[in-house]
Amino acid sequence: MAFISSGYNPDKPMENRITDIGPRKYDEFYPEVIRNNKGKWKYHEILKPGVLVHVSETGDKVFTVRCGGARLMSVTHIREICDIADKHCGGHVRFTTRNNIEFMVDSQDKLDPLVKDLEGRKFDGGSFKFPIGGTGAGVTNIIHTQGWIHCHTPATDASGPVKATMDTLFEEFQDHRMPAHVRVSLACCLNMCGAVHCSDIAILGYHRKPPILDHEYLDKMCEIPLAVAACPTAAIKPAKVEFNGQTLNSVAVKNERCMFCGNCYTMCPSMPLADTEGDGIVLMVGGKVSNRISTPKFSKVVVAFIPNEAPRWEQTTSTIKRIIDTYSNDAKKYERIGEWAERIGWERFFDKCELDFSHHLIDDFRDPAYYTWRQTSQFKF
Amino acid sequence: MAKHETPLLDQLESGPWPSFVSDLKQEAESRAKNEKGIEYQIPQDVCEDILGVLELSYKHGRTHWKHGGIVGVFGYGGGVIGRYCDQPKMFPGVAHFHTMRVNQPAGKFYTTDYLKKICDLWEFRGSGVTNMHGSTGDIILLGTTTPQLEEIFHELTHNMDQDLGGSGSNLRTPADCIGAARCEYACYDTQALCYDLTQEYQDELHRPAFPYKFKFKFDGCPNCCVASIARSDMSFIGTWRDNIRIDQETVKAYIGGEIAPNAGAHSGRDWGAFDIQKEVNDLCPTGCMYMDGDKLVIDDKECTRCMHCINVMPQALRIGEDRGLSILVGAKAPILDGAQMGSLLVPFIKVEEPYDEIKEVIEAIWDWWMEEGKNRERLGELIKRQGFQKLLEATNIKAIPQHVQEPRHNPYIFWKEDEVEGGWDRDINKFRKDHLR
């Protein structure tokens, strides 16, 4: 493979350099019906799960078909999306915040052929390429992080658990029978690139073992002060260690203070945390970001640890399914999981969902912990 | 015949949800065949090696990626994430596997023409694997080698009029909801504001000069579809301060069962006939709605704009017309001191080009944070450490009851000298004239 230059000259990096131009302007990409009706939309209806119509004051309508997708996507797959958009949507397509793909058409007669086309496309392995759904009172696509496909600190995979979970919840993606929206998110370590901390169901990768110290290489590969400073709980200090008769500069870790965040490993590759038995999944529930009815809420930890069970994460998916089914049977219309749990009480939530409670689930991290203990004689037996 | 056996990953090809494994395999096959005769600039079997290294992680229950080292494009401090495989001999195709973040267009609308150009570029100079999109909002180009970084940047900027996004301690790529483009709830044009601020602050986006990352997100209404209130240092949430517009005839149509409530969002189950009292008025968090005969009355002065009634009856109720946005600050994920939700700083601000009023708030906050923030301290943590009052001082905003959920629980007020008559300098001898030793 011969190197082919783009025209960039490494000897003169500033020659004809273009910088700071930002993204393309959004309105270059609007379909005509969007351009003509922006700011004039009057109302919308969900015609069936995954299919919306927005009606404008001008009388125009835009029909949207929402499809789930793995956010990990090849260019072959994106080209197929483009082919569909060229065939049905005048060469326009959009993506949602939750990694769904939206195909839009400007009249109802274009809708059925689009839906049929999308429903008919499958990967060789048998899964749908473009399952339609993800609207209304159902389960929409999972937002997630990179996991084992590309990250250096994950405690679980991302794409795999997401696929396994969405296979389990697939009927709910294509239906509207939940009491309210259910938003599931996954972050593969507690640094939470995926900001899952306000989700109805959060799947969180978690390490449980402090870093292993590669003393022989630590001082050669790392800036020790950076590794020390990286620790959020000040568990790391510089140390001299004896190694093969030599005294080496290294670090010491106060293991009982480690919160397993991996920030030290980001600064210092000689402090890996990953461990087959140590790593796994924490489940959090009851968060939301919408201001609807109740104010936004953080998710709460309800399962302290589930081992990584690649490739299908059976305990994780079955526990999520059980929580969602219990919620679906028990909550009132419009009630989100967190609102339901607060109404029935968390002690009742654990009962109904058949989840064990343990000391791990009582907050002991700094000041906010106090506000989560029960400061009333009101509780349920 | 696949380069690596992947018995564990193969189990993720079945089931209805789109399989990323099947997709990676089809990309591997496409590269192997190379029907278009592309002179691939990174190894042709890169996708085979992604599958191989991922299979190994499935076997070990551990990642096989190492953190980056410093790679990037000249003059920028962000936009490229370095990544290396810890088994380069087993998987040479992904030995170097850097990510590039490409700043997505606001609203994530695309023409196929644009997407195809991205695909052509990324197939030629990268792995052909992407994320559409990353958590922050960028188009993520997943996996290329160091020599290709400048070439890709050159092609993006010269041929596609397209820049990279942010990473590291800088302004991260701003992101927004669909807004007025296709949503009747949008209280301002999220795309216009997102684009304008992204362009205005290109320097902050590309050249890390902050204590830590900084995120803007734009939600057109309090439904918060991009979760700005939970995950952005500055969250811009659309709102209004006049009255919800009511179409009484359409309210009657909802009551009469002619229109499905909540735009049909509950169509999968029989919840019984729509009951406006139970489903709307009784659920209103401020109790400011009631029926006067067959007429719906809203005491708008008491409304906190939670959106519930509008969500339930979108054809009958519409957002007000005196629109703007609220600014909330300091949201972040739990690392380190626990998760923080955004705290209300500016209850209402009009959204008008060139957005000077909004930029004044942003720049005042940055000045304070860059002066006072410790290394790797998010804005929310600085506010907690120094107090909300310091934020008000820095932004020259007057304290109002809307800033708090409730007033303080303790009387430990840190009075300032100039707030107390006569100041703090006192004469002990004068005091002793009245109070003997």
Side-chain angles (χ1 to χ4, degrees):
Chain A
M1 88 194 158
F3 182 84
I4 298 174
S5 169
S6 61
Y8 169 73
N9 179 356
D11 297 328
K12 294 180 181 168
M14 289 312 291
E15 192 177 72
N16 299 322
R17 195 170 188 83
I18 299 174
T19 69
D20 297 80
I21 55 173
R24 291 280 286 270
K25 190 150 184 252
Y26 51 93
D27 55 5
E28 291 178 48
F29 296 136
Y30 284 161
E32 202 186 335
V33 63
I34 296 293
R35 188 188 311 281
N36 294 342
N37 294 284
K38 183 174 176 180
K40 298 178 194 159
W41 298 105
K42 211 169 153 194
Y43 66 89
H44 74 283
E45 276 178 87
I46 312 174
L47 300 175
K48 60 179 185 179
V51 181
L52 304 113
V53 59
H54 286 78
V55 180
S56 166
E57 285 165 358
T58 65
D60 285 356
K61 292 180 179 179
V62 61
F63 297 86
T64 302
V65 182
R66 182 176 295 168
C67 302
R71 75 161 206 179
L72 185 77
M73 213 173 258
S74 73
V75 296
T76 301
H77 191 62
I78 297 172
R79 286 183 180 129
E80 187 166 345
I81 292 169
C82 291
D83 289 344
I84 297 167
D86 284 340
K87 192 167 149 199
H88 298 276
C89 312
H92 294 270
V93 64
R94 86 171 280 267
F95 294 81
T96 72
T97 303
R98 302 195 73 89
N99 310 321
N100 292 309
I101 308 154
E102 288 189 339
F103 296 97
M104 281 165 271
V105 292
D106 56 12
S107 69
Q108 187 136 22
D109 57 303
K110 296 177 186 167
L111 193 56
D112 276 350
L114 170 62
V115 167
K116 281 209 179 68
D117 189 348
L118 291 167
E119 284 173 343
R121 292 175 189 251
K122 287 188 168 185
F123 283 109
D124 288 347
S127 63
F128 288 104
K129 283 179 172 169
F130 304 105
I132 297 169
T135 51
V139 176
T140 189
N141 202 347
I142 299 180
I143 52 162
H144 63 92
T145 54
Q146 300 287 16
W148 293 334
I149 199 84
H150 206 241
C151 181
H152 66 293
T153 61
T156 187
D157 187 32
S159 300
V162 164
K163 159 75 174 152
T165 304
M166 285 311 289
D167 277 343
T168 307
L169 301 178
F170 190 71
E171 284 182 28
E172 307 309 337
F173 178 79
Q174 297 203 307
D175 211 331
H176 281 166
R177 59 189 182 187
M178 289 287 134
H181 299 75
V182 178
R183 300 277 187 253
V184 187
S185 309
L186 180 147
C188 51
C189 81
L190 86 177
N191 287 295
M192 289 197 196
C193 300
V196 301
H197 57 291
C198 295
S199 308
D200 293 284
I201 305 272
I203 307 165
L204 175 67
Y206 208 84
H207 300 289
R208 296 185 303 165
K209 295 190 185 181
I212 321 170
L213 304 177
D214 194 356
H215 291 303
E216 188 181 357
Y217 288 91
L218 202 139
D219 193 29
K220 294 175 205 156
M221 294 184 71
C222 315
E223 296 281 351
I224 288 175
L226 288 181
V228 169
C231 180
T233 63
I236 305 172
K237 60 180 183 182
K240 303 265 184 211
V241 295
E242 296 299 319
F243 188 87
N244 285 347
Q246 278 183 300
T247 304
L248 297 175
N249 291 322
S250 186
V251 297
V253 177
K254 205 171 210 177
N255 286 336
E256 64 277 17
R257 286 181 80 157
C258 179
M259 65 190 288
F260 317 106
C261 68
N263 284 357
C264 53
Y265 180 61
T266 295
M267 286 296 152
C268 175
S270 299
M271 302 178 72
L273 281 87
D275 188 88
T276 308
E277 287 76 34
D279 297 354
I281 279 173
V282 173
L283 288 183
M284 302 172 75
V285 312
K288 71 195 259 288
V289 294
S290 163
N291 290 273
R292 183 176 185 173
I293 303 178
S294 65
T295 55
K297 297 177 198 302
F298 293 124
S299 311
K300 285 91 183 166
V301 179
V302 298
V303 179
F305 185 76
I306 304 175
N308 278 321
E309 300 166 310
R312 279 280 170 187
W313 279 266
E314 289 84 358
Q315 278 189 72
T316 299
T317 59
S318 64
T319 309
I320 291 170
K321 179 84 166 69
R322 193 163 76 242
I323 294 169
I324 287 181
D325 286 347
T326 311
Y327 155 73
S328 177
N329 290 328
D330 202 59
K332 296 178 178 173
K333 191 177 177 187
Y334 304 115
E335 218 167 32
R336 296 283 290 263
I337 292 183
E339 293 167 330
W340 164 66
E342 285 175 13
R343 177 172 59 80
I344 63 172
W346 284 97
E347 64 271 49
R348 192 62 80 235
F349 170 89
F350 281 89
D351 257 2
K352 291 196 176 203
C353 294
E354 295 169 30
L355 293 171
D356 292 331
F357 194 87
S358 70
H359 70 89
H360 307 99
L361 305 180
I362 299 174
D363 198 349
D364 57 357
F365 192 76
R366 301 190 179 173
D367 274 1
Y370 166 81
Y371 298 99
T372 65
W373 307 335
R374 193 176 303 256
Q375 283 127 13
T376 169
S377 61
Q378 298 181 14
F379 61 86
K380 292 182 181 175
F381 288 108
Chain B
M1 180 64 194
K3 183 175 170 189
H4 307 284
E5 293 291 310
T6 54
L8 293 169
L9 290 177
D10 293 349
Q11 295 176 54
L12 286 171
E13 289 203 85
S14 58
W17 189 253
S19 169
F20 70 99
V21 176
S22 300
D23 192 13
L24 288 174
K25 284 186 179 177
Q26 77 171 358
E27 193 59 31
E29 198 181 309
S30 158
R31 288 178 81 93
K33 281 189 190 156
N34 192 15
E35 283 171 352
K36 287 180 279 185
I38 295 163
E39 190 86 35
Y40 293 118
Q41 296 293 291
I42 76 163
Q44 189 164 0
D45 59 358
V46 53
C47 291
E48 309 259 12
D49 280 353
I50 300 171
L51 285 162
V53 72
L54 188 60
E55 177 75 14
L56 192 64
S57 282
Y58 271 54
K59 197 170 145 203
H60 290 159
R62 300 184 299 271
T63 192
H64 283 284
W65 299 103
K66 298 195 285 184
H67 192 258
I70 307 297
V71 290
V73 297
F74 190 79
Y76 281 8
V80 181
I81 319 292
R83 193 67 74 212
Y84 301 91
C85 180
D86 71 6
Q87 289 292 355
K89 290 218 167 70
M90 286 166 78
F91 309 105
V94 295
H96 297 224
F97 202 63
H98 311 316
T99 295
M100 298 187 84
R101 295 185 180 170
V102 176
N103 194 330
Q104 84 290 356
K108 298 194 178 91
F109 285 93
Y110 293 101
T111 56
T112 53
D113 180 51
Y114 172 89
L115 286 177
K116 286 176 202 165
K117 279 187 190 159
I118 288 273
C119 289
D120 290 347
L121 172 62
W122 193 236
E123 183 175 43
F124 174 45
R125 296 194 180 276
S127 68
V129 179
T130 77
N131 290 151
M132 297 296 286
H133 298 72
S135 296
T136 299
D138 298 279
I139 301 169
I140 305 291
L141 303 180
L142 211 61
T144 192
T145 58
T146 309
Q148 289 303 314
L149 297 173
E150 285 289 356
E151 306 299 324
I152 292 164
F153 181 70
H154 189 277
E155 292 211 31
L156 282 172
T157 50
H158 284 76
N159 307 335
M160 296 188 64
D161 196 19
Q162 173 65 58
D163 208 337
L164 297 181
S167 64
S169 292
N170 61 11
L171 175 64
R172 298 299 182 87
T173 310
D176 62 349
C177 71
I178 191 163
R182 201 201 58 202
C183 182
E184 68 271 23
Y185 301 153
C187 299
Y188 70 98
D189 187 343
T190 51
Q191 274 130 56
L193 183 60
C194 182
Y195 179 76
D196 185 279
L197 295 183
T198 306
Q199 294 295 352
E200 175 87 17
Y201 299 119
Q202 279 290 297
D203 192 32
E204 286 78 2
L205 196 153
H206 295 303
R207 295 168 195 90
F210 289 154
Y212 203 13
K213 65 180 87 164
F214 197 94
K215 298 184 179 181
F216 289 152
K217 295 202 188 295
F218 307 88
D219 273 309
C221 84
N223 281 332
C224 282
C225 290
V226 296
S228 70
I229 197 167
R231 59 188 187 130
S232 54
D233 299 86
M234 287 187 82
S235 153
F236 301 87
I237 303 176
T239 195
W240 66 94
R241 55 182 175 184
D242 56 347
N243 298 339
I244 293 174
R245 290 171 288 166
I246 309 177
D247 175 347
Q248 295 290 353
E249 288 309 308
T250 313
V251 172
K252 283 180 204 150
Y254 276 103
I255 295 171
E258 294 160 42
I259 308 173
N262 217 103
H266 295 265
S267 61
R269 199 201 287 197
D270 182 8
W271 290 93
F274 176 64
D275 180 341
I276 193 168
Q277 189 59 37
K278 200 171 121 206
E279 296 189 32
V280 180
N281 300 358
D282 290 350
L283 291 178
C284 171
T286 64
C288 73
M289 307 178 69
Y290 60 95
M291 296 302 294
D292 179 5
D294 61 359
K295 196 174 157 215
L296 176 68
V297 183
I298 302 177
D299 181 0
D300 284 277
K301 194 162 178 294
E302 298 307 310
C303 170
T304 50
R305 303 168 308 287
C306 86
M307 295 296 294
H308 176 63
C309 59
I310 298 176
N311 286 328
V312 174
M313 301 190 288
Q315 297 193 39
L317 303 181
R318 301 179 71 188
I319 57 170
E321 292 181 302
D322 183 12
R323 298 172 203 150
L325 59 78
S326 304
I327 303 177
L328 288 84
V329 298
K332 55 179 277 293
I335 275 284
L336 160 69
D337 212 9
Q340 282 180 245
M341 209 67 83
S343 299
L344 181 70
L345 176 64
V346 181
F348 189 87
I349 200 164
K350 277 285 192 188
V351 187
E352 284 158 357
E353 284 180 83
Y355 315 113
D356 285 340
E357 267 190 282
I358 292 170
K359 289 172 190 169
E360 269 172 37
V361 179
I362 293 168
E363 287 165 26
I365 285 177
W366 281 349
D367 283 348
W368 175 55
W369 181 52
M370 289 170 76
E371 186 70 27
E372 299 287 335
K374 296 182 192 170
N375 186 32
R376 285 165 67 86
E377 185 174 51
R378 290 285 288 271
L379 176 63
E381 291 159 334
L382 173 64
I383 299 170
K384 269 174 87 173
R385 181 164 62 83
Q386 293 204 345
F388 197 83
Q389 284 87 344
K390 283 280 192 304
L391 170 70
L392 293 177
E393 275 173 36
T395 50
N396 202 20
I397 290 171
K398 192 175 168 298
I400 49 170
Q402 284 82 354
H403 283 137
V404 294
Q405 194 64 42
E406 56 196 21
R408 65 192 306 154
H409 292 191
N410 59 68
Y412 311 143
I413 300 165
F414 289 93
W415 290 102
K416 292 203 185 80
E417 185 173 10
D418 62 9
E419 290 181 314
V420 185
E421 296 78 3
W424 291 347
D425 258 347
R426 287 179 291 163
D427 182 349
I428 189 65
N429 293 324
K430 198 175 154 201
F431 183 81
R432 287 298 171 214
K433 276 184 191 160
D434 295 330
H435 304 273
L436 301 182
R437 280 188 183 94

